[in-house]
Amino acid sequence: MSARYVISCVLFAFLTSLPRHALGQNAITIPPSTNWDGNDGPWSTFTVQIGTPGQSVRVLPSSSGSSLWAVVKDGCTKNDPSSCEDDRGDFFNSQSSFSYSPVGTFELPLLAEAALGVSGNGQFGYDNLVLSYPGGGGPAVNHSVVAGIATKDLFLGTIGLTPWGTNFTNLNDPQASILTLLRETNQIPSLSWSYTAGAYYVPQKVFGSLTFGGYDTSRFVPNDLTITRGDDISRDLLVGIQAIGSGDDSLLPEPIIAYIDSTVSALWLPETACKRFEEVFGLVLDQETGLYLVNDSLHSDLQSQNPSISFTIGASQTGGEIVNITMPYGAFDLTAKYPLTANGSSSYFPIRRAQNDTQYVLGRTFLQQAYITVDYDRNTFQVSQAIFPGNGVKQKLVPIVTPSSGSNSNGTSSSDSSSSSSSSKSISTGAVAGIAVGVTIIALAAIGGGLFWFFWRRRKAKKAAEKNAKIDPNAPQPDEPKTDHSQPPNEVQGDSMVKNELSGSHGRYRSTDNKSELVGSGKYASEIQGDSRHASELGGSGKFASEMHGDTIYSSEIGTTEDGTHYTGGTSETGRTLPSYPGTPSELHGDTGASELESRSSGTGTNTGLQRQWRKLAGLHEMA
């Protein structure tokens, strides 16, 4: 029995005994930043650390995005307030991260938001992420798409929630989203997420809630409404607004289909509906800003009246299961700041006039009082009334597992389905941690015991063999082999000594001629275009003028000859002269140390130490 076999058996037993949390079967909650940010809020943001070392930025969840967009230094100018950097959630500086890999400047894929006048460019690249503030214990996502943004159309950065890939230059190779990377690394049990925006206006000022791979039953009132996602992935979270009312007043003349989008803040409604809001609440549209600004007198009256507005939501415009989302005036009592307003700040009522049905949107304002759960594996989503248990109340996370014989129709595993009620009981975080620590200690002890037993038994057998062996000194000894020095030594056959060199492919990079250009997916109808329309924003002239020139050396650029051997320049193992790339060992992503790489890139194609070993293996004597 070999040591490798013993260790493999022990490791298998250890991994299969781990609790479900250790195997990525639990939902993951992203802790809020505890800040209230934004120029049209205030909004509860979430902290993400980007790069190495980590740089903390505050962002908002985007139900239409797929990657992380962070504000960069160009997002503030000398004409902006001195607090601009903090107002925008802090800057990301790619040059301060040694794990950042640039791609180029492209137009942001704002497919749904473009209809609302939102646009901008992004400096795209790859970097490592931690989805929490320092010490928050959030999940790590490596080699994720990151875009630096300057446009003020998106005042804060965003963290994309969808599984759709990001496309560069063409539609053949989508780059994985944050949600997909979490699933591929087995950190969550499904392609799903849940979100509610939080409520600054309630007495306890409850922060937002963001969960990957499940939902938090402490944050919503369950209902029976389940809606199938739309076919258009850029507008897939479509709901029927069957009615909007406040008391006896109807505020929606006709039912509509609207898109839920947390990327924007306002509610975009038909002009006829906006006029009903004007009549009932005394709102006046400001022509300069396009906002319903609220003066001090009207603001005081609305606060005193404290009207509530109810949205009747269904899968279609009429009939079927419905849920009523009730919103107090506080959810509409928001503050507009620079650059939305030129002079100071002003209260405003966050509804906007839509020009056509492509602009019907329920933005982040709606999600203050609504809790949404999206399950891409089942192609469904749910909308519920949000509740506010207080920031000190313990979460009740329920995982959504991928469809299988062991799951219920709602996506929870059969063993966990009872936990979807508020009275459910589950193993506490401390208990899970204790089980994991205990199993780890037992596994390490088992590994140590197995190794001790194996080497003790081999040593015992060796001593027994030495004790029992009887050597006769008078016995004839075998003649030493004679070496014929008139013939040259045979060459060593085989390649067993050269199998530890770096392979021609490593990690996510492929050994192709594309260098660091990235390609896209057929998921989106249009690719991300490099756009020169935003001259005052991030650089980039023409469509793809700012793409990388492909001079970054990745591990895949270590050469591979036709017979499968590898090189970094100089002479290959087959003796052919090969070109040398201008990289350094530190640019390679493999585990080989610099000293080993240097010894193999000397250009001679020989190694005296290795030749001697080969000769010894062939049973030859070295010549003096």
Side-chain angles (χ1 to χ4, degrees), residues 21-167:
H21 174 74
L23 296 177
Q25 294 303 306
N26 277 356
I28 294 175
T29 184
I30 308 304
S33 68
T34 71
N35 283 55
W36 296 91
D37 297 298
N39 66 334
D40 56 4
W43 306 111
S44 175
T45 52
F46 297 81
T47 299
V48 176
Q49 300 172 68
I50 313 175
T52 310
Q55 303 174 44
S56 295
V57 297
R58 301 189 304 279
V59 296
L60 290 168
S62 170
S63 58
S64 64
S66 63
S67 57
L68 185 78
W69 299 352
V71 178
V72 294
K73 187 176 181 180
D74 290 343
C76 292
T77 68
K78 62 181 181 180
N79 297 323
D80 293 328
S82 58
S83 60
C84 180
E85 179 178 356
D86 182 65
D87 292 343
R88 301 200 66 181
D90 291 329
F91 295 152
F92 167 59
N93 183 359
S94 61
Q95 295 181 348
S96 298
S97 172
F98 64 76
S99 55
Y100 179 80
S101 176
V103 176
T105 301
F106 301 91
E107 183 177 357
L108 296 172
L110 294 161
L111 302 183
E113 296 77 18
L116 307 178
V118 180
S119 64
N121 287 347
Q123 293 175 339
F124 283 84
Y126 297 103
D127 214 333
N128 301 332
L129 308 178
V130 177
L131 306 185
S132 73
Y133 48 78
V141 181
N142 294 331
H143 195 71
S144 179
V145 175
V146 175
I149 63 172
T151 176
K152 289 184 173 66
D153 287 353
L154 296 172
F155 196 72
L156 292 167
T158 63
I159 176 173
L161 307 180
T162 75
W164 320 129
T166 300
N167 303 307

Side-chain angles (χ1 to χ4, degrees), residues 207-272:
F207 298 123
S209 172
L210 176 60
T211 302
F212 287 108
Y215 51 88
D216 182 359
T217 60
S218 70
R219 297 301 299 265
F220 67 92
V221 179
N223 62 73
D224 296 326
L225 176 63
T226 297
I227 305 173
T228 301
R229 290 179 45 253
D231 294 332
D232 182 355
I233 63 173
S234 66
R235 283 178 60 87
D236 56 344
L237 305 180
L238 296 175
V239 297
I241 306 180
Q242 298 185 4
I244 304 176
S246 178
D248 296 330
D249 295 311
S250 174
L251 301 174
L252 183 66
E254 295 182 357
I256 62 172
I257 297 293
Y259 173 53
I260 296 178
D261 188 0
S262 68
T263 313
V264 298
S265 60
L267 309 180
W268 289 73
L269 301 173
E271 186 173 352
T272 54

Side-chain angles (χ1 to χ4, degrees), residues 317-491:
Q317 291 167 285
T318 58
E321 291 287 344
I322 61 170
V323 60
N324 289 311
I325 307 298
T326 302
M327 306 180 65
Y329 170 68
F332 295 92
D333 186 10
L334 301 181
T335 302
K337 301 178 182 178
Y338 176 86
L340 293 178
T341 57
N343 300 313
S345 61
S346 172
S347 297
Y348 81 107
F349 200 97
I351 60 172
R352 302 291 294 269
R353 290 184 177 182
Q355 301 302 312
N356 53 61
D357 58 3
T358 66
Q359 292 185 328
Y360 296 163
V361 169
L362 295 177
R364 202 179 311 116
T365 295
F366 177 73
L367 292 171
Q368 293 175 107
Q369 291 288 144
Y371 188 96
I372 182 171
T373 296
V374 184
D375 183 352
Y376 295 97
D377 292 328
R378 292 171 179 79
N379 203 37
T380 60
F381 67 98
Q382 295 174 307
V383 179
S384 305
Q385 177 74 54
I387 54 178
F388 309 106
N391 293 318
V393 175
K394 186 177 180 180
Q395 296 174 326
K396 297 178 181 178
L397 299 180
V398 176
I400 298 175
V401 298
T402 53
S404 68
S405 58
S407 63
N408 298 313
S409 60
N410 64 355
T412 60
S413 64
S414 58
S415 62
D416 290 332
S417 59
S418 62
S419 65
S420 62
S421 66
S422 60
S423 61
S424 63
K425 295 182 180 180
S426 59
I427 299 176
S428 66
T429 303
V432 171
I435 292 172
V437 172
V439 171
T440 302
I441 293 174
I442 293 172
L444 292 176
I447 293 173
L451 292 174
F452 175 80
W453 172 82
F454 173 77
F455 289 112
W456 173 81
R457 183 169 180 175
R458 188 171 69 171
R459 183 177 180 185
K460 182 179 179 181
K462 182 178 179 180
K463 287 184 176 180
E466 292 176 352
K467 182 177 181 181
N468 295 331
K470 295 181 179 180
I471 303 174
D472 186 355
N474 297 320
Q477 301 296 319
D479 295 334
E480 291 186 0
K482 296 182 179 181
T483 302
D484 185 359
H485 295 288
S486 64
Q487 299 294 331
N490 294 328
E491 293 184 2

